[in-house]
Amino acid sequence: MEIDGNVLAAKSLVRFGVRHMFGVVGIPVTSLANRAVALGVRFIAFHNEQSAGYAASAYGYLTASPGVFLTVSGPGCVHGLAGLSNASVNTWPTVLISGSCNQNDVGRGDFQELNQIEATKPFSKLSVRASHISEIPACVAQVLEWAQSGRPGGCYLDLPTDVLHQKVSESEAEKLLTEVEKNRAKPEPYSISNSKIEEAVSLLRRAERPLIVFGKGAAYARAENALTKLVEATGIPFLPTPMGKGLLPDTHSLAATAARSLAIGKCDVALVVGARLNWLLHFGEPPKWSKDVKFILVDVSEEEIELRKPHLGLVGDAKHVIEVLNKEIKDDPFCLGSTHPWVQAISNKAKENVAKMEVQLGKDVVPFNFLTPMRIIRDAIAGLGSPAPIVVSEGANTMDVGRSVLVQTEPRTRLDAGTWGTMGVGLGYCIAAAVASPDRLVVAVEGDSGFGFSAIEVETLVRYQLPVVVIVFNNGGVYGGDRRRPEEIDGPHKGDPAPTDFVPNAGYHALIEAFGGKGYLVGTPDELKFALSESFSARKPAVINVVIDPFAGSESGRMQHKN
């Protein structure tokens, strides 16, 4: 009995641990998808390769296993670059697999011909081609391993049409798989010198105003228990990056999120765990940070530490490094205590800022601004208890306001535009979250612009009956419609809508109804509360169209922190 390259590729994926795949099928990869499904892989078929790629990248983050997505050749691969690059910038393990043209026809203008190896290289850790059926198992294993080794990221596998049609005997296929499985590399344990650990603890112990900062790298490493132990043993305030929220609850007494400016501006020693000193953390430089702050940077990548040049660098998995620090501290414990001046300063400022925000949140403003519906959503989510839903957030004003208002109490329950500030990730992330964490409801809080990038994927939600509720903040455009000054409205096309304008009062809720899902149009607090209560209870695909005052928002491109 012989099998072809499609079957061998599917067998390889299953043998090396792949349980879910995302993608858009067509010539020459439809058979590969069908074979994978027959062998037990759940294949989630999308309308657009970009969304499939975003789903795969988020799946890699949520599961700590490579997210795999499949596309056709040429334009399919190019569309997939969005997901591959998003994975690489966010450092999430992801593998793009694309079909490609017959190798004998390269350069002759074959159907959807593209040099996909070269096209993917700028966005991937590794790009490989299986040039013969016998190479498929080794290539599959290689991209899966590279995607999650060291600093995780995106990898690419090219499967030419002729290779998918080549055949080998079943016994030869099993021999190839067994050989690759036997030779798969085992990850080497991290080793950190005792002197560096002792120096890190000494810096924290002697600090007058220490701060622990952690990001989604710590979330990916499952460092929540180790970080909780460290924070509660030492009494050091902590500051999560947006997707680090929930590793310790936002409601924790040592949370410095609501006093962010004070925390980063005045701290003298900052232990930064699984977060890069990039734009999200103001590059670790003045004026946001003190010029005298000493950074202890914990990162899985030695290159990252060399780039940032911290006072002290600890290379290794975030969970492992923090566990080693905890062990060192346990032998000679110290704790700031609730009456420590630094802890009190952070606590007082946080309470002051929260109180100011709650005054604004407490008002029922109709037509809606951003704060009133966000408060109602926050309270509805809190009412669900545990397991907390995974919140997906994208948009300009919607994401900025949600970052401050929505509360995360459990790890890996927030997905947003991330390191690259990518818009259009929303529906892909929702689908990945529902697949990766089937016990959790998924709640997306999206601007109408962000939603529009991938809105057709609501059909995918309905098709697979995923427990996803998408809340669209509908203010009629990017930032809220026409923001031009009168003198800017000129020229032969001045009668056209502004570049930021959308159709007013768009019926986004009707889109999901076209496919059999549930839609809600809301404009008052009671209408929103009812829609949230009913859709959360149903755990079925739904879109809630929240009409916002088109003048409530403002232009936003970077995180705005007013605390």
Side-chain angles (χ1 to χ4, degrees):
M1 178 79 73
E2 288 188 320
I3 62 171
D4 68 6
N6 291 292
V7 177
L8 184 54
K11 281 179 174 286
S12 301
L13 290 164
V14 172
R15 180 72 68 94
F16 304 137
V18 174
R19 298 291 173 264
H20 295 93
M21 288 176 67
F22 309 91
V24 179
V25 299
I27 297 171
V29 297
T30 305
S31 180
L32 170 52
N34 287 332
R35 296 300 184 182
V37 170
L39 291 172
V41 173
R42 189 179 191 197
F43 191 94
I44 307 296
F46 281 72
H47 288 272
N48 183 285
E49 291 93 350
Q50 287 188 4
S51 291
Y54 294 144
S57 66
Y59 179 92
Y61 167 67
L62 291 170
T63 66
S65 298
V68 178
F69 68 113
L70 182 67
T71 80
V72 300
S73 48
C77 177
V78 170
H79 292 167
L81 294 179
L84 188 67
S85 55
N86 188 65
S88 292
V89 174
N90 282 298
T91 71
W92 294 343
T94 305
V95 172
L96 164 60
I97 302 175
S98 295
S100 60
C101 70
N102 281 304
Q103 294 174 95
N104 290 337
D105 292 328
V106 169
R108 300 175 64 197
D110 195 19
F111 175 67
Q112 295 187 333
E113 181 185 341
L114 174 69
N115 186 338
Q116 291 163 199
I117 294 292
E118 291 303 315
T120 56
K121 274 183 179 178
F123 310 104
S124 68
K125 293 177 67 178
L126 176 72
S127 295
V128 298
R129 174 181 293 118
S131 57
H132 187 269
I133 187 172
S134 62
E135 298 174 6
I136 289 176
C139 287
V140 170
Q142 190 179 22
V143 291
L144 292 171
E145 286 171 12
W146 273 65
Q148 58 188 332
S149 65
R151 163 157 282 182
C155 290
Y156 173 70
L157 172 59
D158 193 84
L159 295 176
T161 300
D162 53 305
V163 172
L164 291 172
H165 292 158
Q166 288 170 0
K167 294 185 176 182
V168 294
S169 68
E170 283 192 339
S171 60
E172 179 63 20
E174 183 58 34
K175 182 180 175 183
L176 290 166
L177 289 164
T178 302
E179 188 68 21
V180 171
E181 194 170 37
K182 186 173 68 177
N183 294 324
R184 291 189 81 186
K186 292 181 174 58
E188 295 182 9
Y190 294 101
S191 177
I192 310 165
S193 71
N194 288 337
S195 63
K196 285 196 170 187
I197 293 295
E198 290 167 3
E199 184 182 353
V201 171
S202 178
L203 282 165
L204 292 171
R205 187 191 307 277
R206 296 197 314 265
E208 293 181 11
R209 298 176 302 281
L211 180 68
I212 298 171
V213 181
F214 48 80
K216 63 180 180 295
Y220 175 82
R222 272 57 183 172
E224 55 267 21
N225 292 338
L227 279 168
T228 300
K229 187 175 179 180
L230 176 64
V231 166
E232 296 187 345
T234 62
I236 297 175
F238 66 88
L239 177 70
T241 65
M243 283 181 57
K245 283 161 60 74
L247 285 176
L248 276 79
D250 288 343
T251 51
H252 195 286
S253 61
L254 289 167
T257 303
R260 188 181 192 275
S261 295
L262 172 65
I264 68 175
K266 297 295 185 183
C267 71
D268 56 356
V269 174
L271 173 64
V272 181
V273 185
R276 281 169 282 177
L277 294 174
N278 57 17
W279 70 276
L280 283 159
L281 289 173
H282 314 290
F283 308 105
E285 296 173 349
K288 295 292 186 180
W289 295 84
S290 163
K291 62 181 175 58
D292 299 319
V293 64
K294 293 177 179 176
F295 286 106
I296 306 167
L297 188 56
V298 178
D299 200 285
V300 75
S301 167
E302 188 169 358
E303 290 78 8
E304 177 68 20
I305 289 174
E306 290 173 354
L307 172 69
R308 306 297 176 182
K309 296 180 174 58
H311 183 82
L312 178 65
L314 301 176
V315 180
D317 172 81
K319 179 183 176 183
H320 173 70
V321 173
I322 300 304
E323 285 174 343
V324 175
L325 286 173
N326 283 335
K327 189 175 179 182
E328 178 71 19
I329 290 169
K330 185 180 178 183
D331 294 337
D332 188 7
F334 68 95
C335 185
L336 301 189
S338 60
T339 59
H340 189 282
W342 174 238
V343 175
Q344 284 195 325
I346 294 287
S347 177
N348 291 341
K349 188 64 176 176
K351 287 175 183 175
E352 176 188 329
N353 286 335
V354 167
K356 287 178 183 176
M357 176 68 85
E358 287 301 321
V359 169
Q360 296 301 313
L361 288 170
K363 301 172 184 175
D364 278 346
V365 178
V366 180
F368 279 147
N369 59 9
F370 282 86
L371 293 174
T372 297
M374 202 69 79
R375 181 205 78 223
I376 294 169
I377 295 164
R378 177 195 67 182
D379 294 347
I381 289 172
L384 293 174
S386 186
I390 293 176
V391 174
V392 176
S393 182
E394 70 171 331
N397 295 282
T398 307
M399 188 171 67
D400 284 347
V401 174
R403 186 182 290 116
S404 299
V405 177
L406 300 178
V407 176
Q408 258 65 50
T409 57
E410 297 178 18
R412 293 168 296 281
T413 55
R414 179 182 173 84
L415 294 166
D416 65 24
T419 305
W420 225 13
T422 310
M423 290 295 117
V425 295
L427 270 293
Y429 281 10
C430 285
I431 292 164
V435 169
S437 303
D439 59 324
R440 295 183 189 269
L441 179 69
V442 180
V443 179
V445 185
E446 309 237 314
D448 50 359
S449 176
F451 175 68
F453 279 82
S454 58
I456 192 61
E457 302 300 347
V458 297
E459 187 276 337
T460 310
L461 299 181
V462 175
R463 188 171 6 119
Y464 291 97
Q465 282 297 293
L466 300 174
V468 177
V469 177
V470 181
I471 304 164
V472 181
F473 277 47
N474 179 1
N475 62 355
V478 181
Y479 313 122
D482 194 344
R483 296 305 173 98
R484 295 174 296 179
R485 298 186 299 274
E487 62 270 21
E488 293 179 298
I489 305 173
D490 203 357
H493 305 293
K494 64 183 180 182
D496 278 358
T500 54
D501 260 352
F502 294 156
V503 171
N505 303 311
Y508 296 117
H509 58 293
L511 181 61
I512 197 168
E513 290 176 341
F515 304 114
K518 180 67 175 177
Y520 301 87
L521 175 64
V522 305
T524 69
D526 285 344
E527 289 171 348
L528 178 55
K529 288 173 185 175
F530 172 78
L532 291 169
S533 175
E534 186 172 270
S535 61
F536 283 10
S537 296
R539 294 178 66 91
K540 298 286 187 182
V543 170
I544 302 175
N545 185 5
V546 182
V547 179
I548 305 290
D549 181 349
F551 298 102
S554 60
E555 185 165 355
S556 169
R558 285 175 175 257
M559 289 171 56
Q560 303 297 318
H561 293 287
K562 302 180 178 67
N563 295 334

